[in-house]
Amino acid sequence: MFEVLLITGMCAVTYLIRSLLFIAAQQVRLSTNTQQALSFVPVAVLSAIIAPAILSSDQQTLNLSMHNPALIAAMAAIVVAWWRNSLLFTLVAGISVFMLTRWGLTSFF
């Protein structure tokens, strides 16, 4: 019984904190410059997450050689994204090139 009360209390506290923040956020008006600056946050966060995975092979050293399958796949995905402007084609191209360079065509690079 104690566990049920504990979980219910945690749910209530979490809901209360989040709802108060949403209610307070409705009262705040951001300037146009601040809204424009905040629009770049998702791109910056995604770049900070993806760049280390692409540019390093063992998460410690920088690997910019053509033997890095993630780097080759990223370059292919960038080209396909620019050419087709389609998320599906970009994902398929990036994953396909990564699989080919990692497990299939490594002897050619």
Side-chain angles (χ1 to χ4, degrees), residues 11-27:
C11 289
V13 168
T14 302
Y15 181 77
L16 180 66
I17 290 172
R18 291 184 183 192
S19 63
L20 287 176
L21 289 175
F22 277 115
I23 291 170
Q26 291 177 353
Q27 305 300 322

Side-chain angles (χ1 to χ4, degrees), residues 15-98:
Y15 181 77
L16 180 66
I17 290 172
R18 291 184 183 192
S19 63
L20 287 176
L21 289 175
F22 277 115
I23 291 170
Q26 291 177 353
Q27 305 300 322
V28 176
R29 299 289 176 230
L30 299 175
S31 68
T32 307
N33 291 338
T34 305
Q35 288 179 353
Q36 186 177 9
L38 287 175
S39 70
F40 294 108
V41 170
V43 175
V45 169
L46 191 60
S47 299
I49 293 170
I50 292 175
I54 291 172
L55 298 176
S56 63
S57 57
D58 59 0
Q59 300 297 326
Q60 302 238 342
T61 59
L62 188 64
N63 185 2
L64 297 176
S65 70
M66 291 307 290
H67 297 287
N68 184 356
L71 182 60
I72 297 169
M75 289 188 297
I78 289 169
V79 168
V80 170
W82 174 75
W83 175 52
R84 298 291 298 185
N85 200 19
S86 169
L87 181 61
L88 179 63
F89 287 139
T90 303
L91 287 171
V92 169
I95 292 170
S96 300
V97 170
F98 179 78

